[in-house]
Amino acid sequence: MKISDLYKEDKTILSFEVFPPKKTSPIESVYGALEELCSLKPAYISVTYGAGGTAADNTCAIAAKIKHDYNIEPIAHITCVNSSKAEVEASLDSFKANDIENVLALRGDIVPDMEPKTDFKYASELTEFIKKKGGFHIAGACYPEVHPEAKDEVSDIINLKKKVDAGAEFLISQLFYDNRTFYEFEKRCRLAGINVPIEAGIMPVINTKQIQRMVSLCGASLPAKFVRIMNRYENNPEALREAGIAYAVDQCVDLIANGVSGIHLYTMNNPYVARRITEAVDKLL
Ligand code: FAD
């Protein structure tokens, strides 16, 4: 199924992201969480990919399981920063052999101490390569608060347009905690002629370690309201989780009321949190 067809109905869709286990854990270690997440019947599930290329087999196996065991459409992430054309081609071939039709084409983060390969410099080049190969529906990533390496807001949007022109049929956004940044970003996209559906990335905060990691990795800005909640409950893990869920639900309700195409929930493989949010917004979609 072509995921971009899901946006044709005039309603917001809810989709999930899951990640394969670390190299040190067996793939089966995520199966319990996966079963519970699939029982929530999201519109589709995306499966992340290690930028080192190491977890490619697990991405494919998990995406195939989502499709064949749970009858939910998967989208496999694929990165190119540390891959040659031949390696990308091999991953695409194994996706194809497993009936995985949708891919999220990414550059991937530059891994410290790992010299990037040179076949692809940007996600737009990977998108063009996959498009030329044929047989896949392609999505791309976008950054409401501007990609951390971008020269400025304008060049980031110009670069995003190149990715869409190369074949990205819809976009999934980086996480954010202030919905206004997403609405302003969406406006900039439309002004630049980027007219594909854009899904809003929502990551419920459930512990303090996660907040620190997230801010250092993607530079998401934290609104005062959010910081106040996190500070108040930093020593009470249960209350912090409840507050994190409530904050995410509040963001989702506002996004749905504003008619966004979709909400992509970064589940962190946590079915409890995904269930609470799904149940809270299900009737609003
Ligand atoms: P690009 O679109 O290539 O952009 C990277 C930078 O280059 C930007 O600053 C952009 O402005 C600039 N740029 C782009 N094109 C040009 C050009 N032609 N000329 C000059 N500059 C240009 N990482 C993983 O390793 N695995 C995953 O599974 C994964 N999943 C993700 C899912 C989502 C929804 C998101 C938002 C991110 C994900 N990431 C993942 C992280 C992502 O790989 C990083 O954010 C990475 O730094 C950029 O990837 P990109 O595909 O957006 O890159």
Side-chain angles (χ1 to χ4, degrees):
M1 191 234 307
K2 186 175 172 175
I3 288 179
S4 57
D5 281 347
L6 291 171
Y7 306 105
K8 286 187 179 151
E9 282 179 48
D10 188 22
K11 57 182 270 203
T12 303
I13 67 165
L14 179 66
S15 60
F16 291 172
E17 179 191 274
V18 299
F19 52 80
K22 290 208 174 79
K23 266 194 289 179
T24 44
S25 306
I27 187 167
E28 292 79 11
S29 62
V30 297
Y31 284 179
L34 198 61
E35 179 162 0
E36 279 191 66
L37 288 167
C38 289
S39 75
L40 300 173
K41 302 256 172 278
Y44 70 86
I45 299 183
S46 80
V47 187
T48 67
Y49 187 96
T54 43
D57 289 349
N58 282 346
T59 300
C60 184
I62 292 172
K65 191 170 176 65
I66 291 168
K67 177 149 189 160
H68 299 299
D69 292 6
Y70 300 109
N71 208 18
I72 292 175
E73 198 59 34
I75 178 164
H77 298 202
I78 180 166
T79 63
C80 60
V81 65
N82 292 312
S83 304
S84 63
K85 276 190 181 159
E87 286 163 332
V88 163
E89 188 116 47
S91 288
L92 292 172
D93 288 342
S94 64
F95 293 161
K96 203 168 261 180
N98 284 280
D99 301 323
I100 297 159
E101 302 163 44
N102 295 276
V103 290
L104 176 57
L106 299 145
R107 185 197 68 181
D109 277 324
I110 292 160
V111 183
D113 304 327
M114 201 165 178
E115 191 59 34
K117 293 204 175 160
T118 51
D119 281 357
F120 304 96
K121 196 159 182 204
Y122 301 112
S124 54
E125 294 169 10
L126 175 65
T127 304
E128 198 180 330
F129 180 80
I130 301 172
K131 180 93 183 164
K132 226 179 235 164
K133 183 176 167 73
F136 289 99
H137 311 298
I138 310 167
C142 62
Y143 301 84
E145 295 189 78
V146 183
H147 185 267
E149 289 164 42
K151 198 171 79 188
D152 53 37
E153 199 174 88
V154 173
S155 61
D156 206 30
I157 289 280
I158 292 170
N159 295 331
L160 184 60
K161 174 90 166 55
K162 288 181 194 156
K163 191 152 57 178
V164 171
D165 290 345
E169 296 164 25
F170 68 101
L171 299 169
I172 305 178
S173 95
Q174 182 60 284
L175 57 92
F176 57 89
Y177 291 97
D178 182 343
N179 287 0
R180 282 172 308 180
T181 62
F182 183 82
Y183 301 137
E184 281 155 22
F185 167 72
E186 210 176 27
K187 257 191 236 158
R188 290 199 297 279
C189 287
R190 302 315 180 213
L191 282 170
I194 298 170
N195 292 315
V196 296
I198 307 175
E199 269 200 54
I202 295 293
M203 184 185 277
V205 165
I206 46 175
N207 61 58
T208 40
K209 234 172 137 188
Q210 180 200 354
I211 307 171
Q212 287 148 5
R213 205 179 111 76
M214 196 181 64
V215 173
S216 72
L217 268 180
C218 69
S221 58
L222 304 178
K225 172 181 161 184
F226 179 92
V227 173
R228 259 196 311 276
I229 296 171
M230 299 304 135
N231 286 344
R232 179 154 181 103
Y233 301 116
E234 64 184 340
N235 297 316
N236 182 343
E238 204 179 325
L240 182 67
R241 187 184 65 188
E242 288 305 301
I245 292 171
Y247 193 94
V249 169
D250 189 45
Q251 275 194 285
C252 292
V253 171
D254 180 66
L255 288 163
I256 297 165
N258 277 280
V260 298
S261 298
I263 295 173
H264 194 60
L265 196 62
Y266 293 106
T267 70
M268 306 297 288
N269 292 2
N270 184 324
Y272 174 78
V273 173
R275 178 175 297 281
R276 292 277 308 276
I277 293 172
T278 304
E279 286 175 353
V281 303
D282 206 28
K283 292 200 168 59
L284 313 180
L285 298 170

